[in-house]
Amino acid sequence: MEAAAGGAEPAGGCAGAPEEPVVSLADVLAENEELEKEARAVLGGSDHERCSYSQGAVKRQALYACSTCTPPGEEPAGICLACSYECHGTHKLFELYTKRNFRCDCGNSKFKNLQCKLFPEKGKVNSGNKYNHNFYGLYCVCKRPYPDPEDEIPDEMIQCIVCEDWFHGRHLGAVPPESGDFHEMVCQACMNCCAFLWAYTSQLAVPTVTKVTSLDDERIVLNVKETEEQNREIKKESGGDHQGKIKEEEQVEQYNEPSTSSGSKCPETVTKSDEPVCKLRELQTKQCLKKDTATFWPSNWRSKLCTCKDCLKMYSELDVQFLIDECDTVLAYENKGTSDQETDRRDPLMDTLNSMNRVQQVELICEYNDLKTELTDYLRRFADEGTVVKREDIQQFFEEFQSRKRRRTNRMQYYCS
């Protein structure tokens, strides 16, 4: 909205004084709602009041590391959302976003001078937890903090879904696709450990441009691209013979198609009585183009991985069974946070009403409706005129509202029988 019509100076304004930025009430409310939505997604439905230790190894939760209690040189440890508030509120924390299958360490033997206030009866260690340099505030193959005060190159951090470390886009060996084109990333090191994924890249992975990056100096070399021959090979793998087998593969995959719902409920895997054909073995009979780069994957790609007996055994041996779990994805984690907190969000007015008797409830509802109606009518005038709502306008409204309320009360007569 523009300032008041006619170029009139705001009350109390000074000529030549810098103008304050103008933001409409609708903009403020919309921005606040968006920030709340992002926060709910990032926290993934984590409980901010109760320590998660009693739940065991939580599939996914918001996690933090305390640099005050476990600095570099000490054993790494992770704490849940509630403990970050209650036990480490004044400490220096590293936000880890989310890690899979983690149990809260707060107050265990790794914390020499701290006892958990929320769940003090913890075991000495959580042997099932996995740690990396993220717990010391370091990320990527460059092992630098984020944000990095010495790094002047703008770059986004992308999390690998296997090792769950975070990487600079320029340190992945390939130019990342646009953020909307992929949903998950597997880093270079994890692609070497999970080499079977290369067999799926021609059909499932999002194409990238290969690059060379020097970690010694941050000059990025982008002139090494995929050759024409490589591009033709990828197109041949993703088309041609593949098209002829789509119907056959769809019949095998129909029983394991993921849910497209954005809710937190995850699809159930249905097992056929007949042993399914090994998709991986079929793909490995074709020529596979392996590169020393990270790979990028679209949504629902996990549902296309083979789930035959031999492949399930391989996933177990590599400790990557989570790759065939649709509920393991960060998208599922964020959706759970959004849906759970929308369901659990309580109305403060209803909480207040529940604490009152019947007469008080009726009076409060009438007062609330009067305030809502009069405030809406008052603000609509500003919207219709295209003028800015200032602080003194709001103060004037409530002063007049209270005055009208007192006059109505004084006119009332009460009779006792």
Side-chain angles (χ1 to χ4, degrees):
M1 291 183 183
E2 297 293 331
E9 257 185 56
C14 299
E19 294 184 2
E20 294 184 3
V22 176
V23 180
S24 70
L25 182 60
D27 292 336
V28 173
L29 294 175
E31 182 179 2
N32 185 64
E33 178 65 26
E34 186 62 28
L35 289 173
E36 286 187 5
K37 184 178 179 181
E38 289 180 7
R40 291 194 298 270
V42 169
L43 297 179
S46 301
D47 195 327
H48 67 281
E49 296 179 341
R50 291 180 288 272
C51 176
S52 65
Y53 183 84
S54 61
Q55 302 175 42
V58 181
K59 194 165 198 172
R60 279 206 176 277
Q61 63 176 315
L63 284 177
Y64 302 82
C66 182
S67 178
T68 304
C69 296
T70 55
E74 300 287 339
E75 288 189 84
I79 59 176
C80 68
L81 176 65
C83 288
S84 74
Y85 293 153
E86 186 65 28
C87 308
H88 305 263
T90 60
H91 296 180
K92 180 182 178 182
L93 301 179
F94 298 124
E95 185 177 359
L96 304 177
Y97 188 30
T98 177
K99 304 284 186 185
R100 67 171 61 89
N101 301 328
F102 199 93
R103 196 173 195 182
C104 180
D105 286 322
C106 179
N108 67 12
S109 61
K110 296 185 176 186
F111 295 80
K112 298 197 169 83
N113 301 311
L114 181 138
Q115 184 180 51
C116 181
K117 299 176 183 177
L118 300 177
F119 201 105
E121 304 85 13
K122 286 187 171 77
K124 289 186 177 181
V125 293
N126 295 312
S127 57
N129 288 354
K130 294 182 179 180
Y131 307 90
N132 59 16
H133 56 202
N134 294 171
F135 290 80
Y136 298 122
L138 303 177
Y139 308 90
C140 190
V141 290
C142 61
K143 293 182 170 58
R144 295 293 302 169
Y146 183 84
D148 188 348
E150 299 178 9
D151 186 4
E152 298 180 355
I153 301 176
D155 200 354
E156 66 175 339
M157 301 291 285
I158 307 173
Q159 189 179 34
C160 172
I161 63 165
V162 179
C163 66
E164 297 190 295
D165 192 4
W166 291 82
F167 296 84
H168 294 98
R170 63 185 186 273
H171 293 162
L172 291 171
V175 179
E178 293 295 325
S179 58
D181 294 340
F182 73 97
H183 283 252
E184 296 186 305
M185 181 273 290
V186 180
C187 72
Q188 293 164 276
C190 290
M191 283 302 296
N192 291 332
C193 295
C194 304
F196 71 91
L197 287 176
W198 286 112
Y200 291 97
T201 54
S202 62
Q203 288 190 359
L204 301 179
V206 179
T208 61
V209 176
T210 307
K211 71 179 181 181
V212 175
T213 302
S214 172
L215 292 179
D216 297 328
D217 58 33
E218 290 297 343
R219 291 173 297 179
I220 310 302
V221 184
L222 298 175
N223 58 347
V224 181
K225 298 184 178 181
E226 291 176 329
T227 62
E228 293 284 339
E229 183 179 350
Q230 288 173 329
N231 284 328
R232 284 197 298 270
E233 182 65 31
I234 291 175
K235 289 179 181 178
K236 180 180 177 182
E237 292 288 343
S238 60
D241 295 339
H242 171 59
Q243 294 295 329
K245 295 184 178 180
I246 285 180
K247 290 186 178 180
E248 177 185 343
E249 290 186 358
E250 281 181 348
Q251 291 176 354
V252 177
E253 292 168 6
Q254 275 179 352
Y255 70 93
N256 197 26
E257 281 297 315
S259 170
T260 56
S261 170
S262 60
S264 60
K265 186 176 180 181
C266 298
E268 296 181 359
T269 301
V270 181
T271 305
K272 276 192 170 183
S273 57
D274 298 332
E275 184 67 25
V277 177
C278 181
K279 304 176 194 174
L280 177 61
R281 193 174 296 117
E282 285 186 353
L283 292 171
Q284 287 175 335
T285 60
K286 304 176 183 180
Q287 186 175 358
C288 178
L289 184 62
K290 294 183 180 180
K291 298 176 285 186
D292 186 23
T293 69
T295 53
F296 302 85
W297 305 84
S299 61
N300 295 339
W301 73 278
R302 298 191 189 203
S303 65
K304 306 298 190 297
L305 297 178
C306 183
T307 54
C308 73
K309 183 171 65 175
D310 291 337
C311 284
L312 291 177
K313 181 181 178 182
M314 176 186 65
Y315 301 149
S316 179
E317 291 172 349
L318 293 173
D319 197 21
V320 293
Q321 304 96 313
F322 53 82
L323 285 179
I324 55 173
D325 182 2
E326 288 289 317
C327 286
D328 175 75
T329 65
V330 171
L331 179 61
Y333 166 79
E334 292 181 345
N335 286 341
K336 183 178 186 300
T338 303
S339 60
D340 284 0
Q341 293 198 25
E342 285 292 346
T343 301
D344 296 339
R345 185 187 289 182
R346 295 181 298 183
D347 188 340
L349 177 60
M350 294 306 298
D351 289 343
T352 304
L353 284 173
N354 291 333
S355 65
M356 295 179 171
N357 60 40
R358 179 66 178 171
V359 175
Q360 291 173 324
Q361 288 178 349
V362 172
E363 290 178 348
L364 178 60
I365 291 173
C366 291
E367 291 290 342
Y368 175 79
N369 286 333
D370 288 344
L371 173 61
K372 180 180 178 182
T373 301
E374 293 191 30
L375 182 59
T376 301
D377 293 340
Y378 182 75
L379 294 177
R380 184 178 291 114
R381 175 169 60 84
F382 290 88
D384 293 341
E385 296 175 358
T387 54
V388 177
V389 182
K390 299 186 288 292
R391 177 180 298 181
E392 49 267 33
D393 295 324
I394 298 298
Q395 290 175 339
Q396 179 184 349
F397 167 80
F398 280 102
E399 288 172 0
E400 294 177 354
F401 180 79
Q402 289 292 341
S403 177
R404 290 192 296 273
K405 179 181 175 182
R406 283 193 294 270
R407 288 198 298 270
R408 286 197 303 268
T409 304
N410 292 337
R411 286 199 300 266
M412 289 182 181
Q413 296 184 18
Y414 298 91
Y415 297 93
C416 297
S417 54

